Amino acid sequence: MSVAFRRESDEEHLEPKFELPIPAGPNLVTRAGQQLIEERIAELEARLAATDAGDKEAVDPLRRDLRYWQTRRATAAVTPAPADGSAGFGAMVTIRLTGKQRVIAIVGDDEADPRGDRIAFSAPLARALFGAEPGDLLPFNGRDDAIEVIAVAAIDEG
């Protein structure tokens, strides 16, 4: 076989490792979101300290994740709920959507958990709710009165 068809090394066929993508836009966080970032950094630093520095396969992903969370900490802007009582970042909004009542928390990208009704402020539903007050009927998903706003309160972070 010709030398031209041989691999230089076994690492040549491996997929490249990329940095974790940073969400576009500002890094708005609630106080709980800021605490989440601090906890993730502490956890990653502890795991890194407990990992053999020579184990590149274990260390590299931990360092990549740590860089992500350190960047998120450096860019975090703790943002309170709107003072006027309308729906916005940092608010708990009770709505009726498609006949079902839900309580939605509008939070930062890193603290979002759609299954737990904690949605990122950049999500379409959150954007539809911005500025809404109790009693408002809002358009969403092609329907003019898809969302009924029942109540708005600041997220209680203790």
Side-chain angles (χ1 to χ4, degrees), residues 20 36-51 58-70:
L20 296 175
L36 170 82
I37 292 170
E38 295 299 333
E39 289 169 2
R40 295 266 169 91
I41 289 172
E43 174 194 340
L44 288 164
E45 287 173 341
R47 288 176 56 196
L48 208 58
T51 303
V59 168
D60 285 352
L62 291 172
R63 285 187 179 148
R64 180 198 63 206
D65 291 353
L66 185 58
R67 283 190 301 273
Y68 172 86
W69 288 106
Q70 287 172 331

Side-chain angles (χ1 to χ4, degrees), residues 17 25 31 35 68 70-72 91 97 137 148 156:
K17 304 288 191 259
R31 285 184 301 213
Q35 183 61 37
Y68 172 86
Q70 287 172 331
T71 300
R72 298 306 278 170
L97 178 64
L137 293 174
E148 177 188 358
D156 181 20

Side-chain angles (χ1 to χ4, degrees), residues 17-156:
K17 304 288 191 259
F18 297 104
E19 291 297 312
L20 296 175
I22 302 287
N27 183 16
L28 304 181
V29 297
T30 62
R31 285 184 301 213
Q34 185 178 36
Q35 183 61 37
L36 170 82
I37 292 170
E38 295 299 333
E39 289 169 2
R40 295 266 169 91
I41 289 172
E43 174 194 340
L44 288 164
E45 287 173 341
R47 288 176 56 196
L48 208 58
T51 303
D52 176 17
D55 186 356
K56 189 170 171 53
E57 239 177 80
V59 168
D60 285 352
L62 291 172
R63 285 187 179 148
R64 180 198 63 206
D65 291 353
L66 185 58
R67 283 190 301 273
Y68 172 86
W69 288 106
Q70 287 172 331
T71 300
R72 298 306 278 170
R73 177 174 57 191
T75 60
V78 177
T79 307
D84 65 1
S86 65
F89 183 87
M92 298 285 288
V93 186
T94 304
I95 63 171
R96 187 167 290 114
L97 178 64
T98 61
K100 296 177 185 166
Q101 188 168 312
R102 295 172 62 185
V103 179
I104 304 290
I106 302 173
V107 296
D109 292 309
D110 294 319
E111 53 188 313
D113 177 12
R115 289 185 182 147
D117 279 338
R118 295 177 64 81
I119 61 173
F121 68 96
S122 57
L125 179 57
R127 289 194 316 260
L129 293 171
F130 273 34
E133 296 177 347
D136 287 353
L137 293 174
L138 306 172
F140 186 68
N141 221 13
R143 253 185 69 205
D144 287 339
D145 59 352
I147 302 171
E148 177 188 358
V149 179
I150 298 167
V152 178
I155 293 175
D156 181 20

